[in-house]
Amino acid sequence: MSLRNSGTAMVREAADRVAASLTKLSGIDVRVSDVSAVDPGPQTREAASFLGQNLTDPHDAIPCAVRFSVGPVEHTIHINAGDGFCEVARDLATGLADEVSMDTWGQPFPPCPGHSHPRQLDRRGTALVWQCPRDETCTPVLLVDCAKEGGRR
């Protein structure tokens, strides 16, 4: 399996976890429609060169586009597959939550039971959890245990 394929496979697994957690929290069907590596293109390389910057080596960083369907609405989140599993899961989760919230004119997503604000992604020990930002008695919902997934690339 090539680095590009293993990178997109890791992103797909993280995206599936994000979709499952958001479905559980919101009651809305969240699915991963597509995961694809993205070529930054010659204009991006030219712009970086003009600015005197180097692009990250594509062997270490694979830009990816992840398309989610949230109910009937499609959202695309761009991330870097060169980051670790936990970072990819975090970036996908927060990116999608922000996109859905903006698309629904500020409706809390994922909703926090009994509150008018959304749950937020937070680190609890080695885990990333969806947590109420104000009420610690609200049961957190696990997204991923980074200690178990940390070595994955």
Side-chain angles (χ1 to χ4, degrees):
M1 181 183 291
S2 75
L3 184 60
R4 183 168 286 252
N5 289 341
S6 66
T8 56
M10 181 268 290
V11 170
R12 176 65 192 229
E13 186 177 341
D16 286 339
R17 297 248 189 115
V18 167
S21 74
L22 289 171
T23 296
K24 178 179 180 178
L25 288 168
S26 69
I28 299 170
D29 188 28
V30 179
R31 295 179 188 256
V32 180
S33 306
D34 184 53
V35 175
S36 56
V38 177
D39 182 357
Q43 289 179 327
T44 302
R45 286 188 274 281
E46 287 172 18
S49 176
F50 177 77
L51 295 170
Q53 299 174 347
N54 293 321
L55 293 177
T56 306
D57 183 349
H59 297 291
D60 294 336
I62 304 165
C64 286
V66 180
R67 195 169 62 231
F68 290 92
S69 61
V70 181
V73 181
E74 294 280 326
H75 296 275
T76 301
I77 308 299
H78 294 271
I79 53 93
N80 181 359
D83 295 333
F85 187 86
C86 266
E87 290 77 15
V88 167
R90 179 201 63 217
D91 291 349
L92 288 172
T94 56
L96 184 58
D98 288 348
E99 284 279 323
V100 172
S101 223
M102 286 190 310
D103 191 51
T104 60
W105 296 89
Q107 291 295 314
F109 187 82
C112 191
H115 302 127
S116 60
H117 56 255
R119 285 187 184 236
Q120 294 177 344
L121 201 57
D122 196 14
R123 191 117 193 190
R124 270 227 176 143
T126 63
L128 286 175
V129 296
W130 291 105
Q131 176 67 50
C132 174
R134 295 196 185 123
D135 183 359
E136 290 193 18
T137 64
C138 185
T139 305
V141 175
L142 178 70
L143 173 60
V144 65
D145 184 342
C146 297
K148 291 180 183 174
E149 305 292 346
R152 195 178 292 207
R153 275 258 184 219

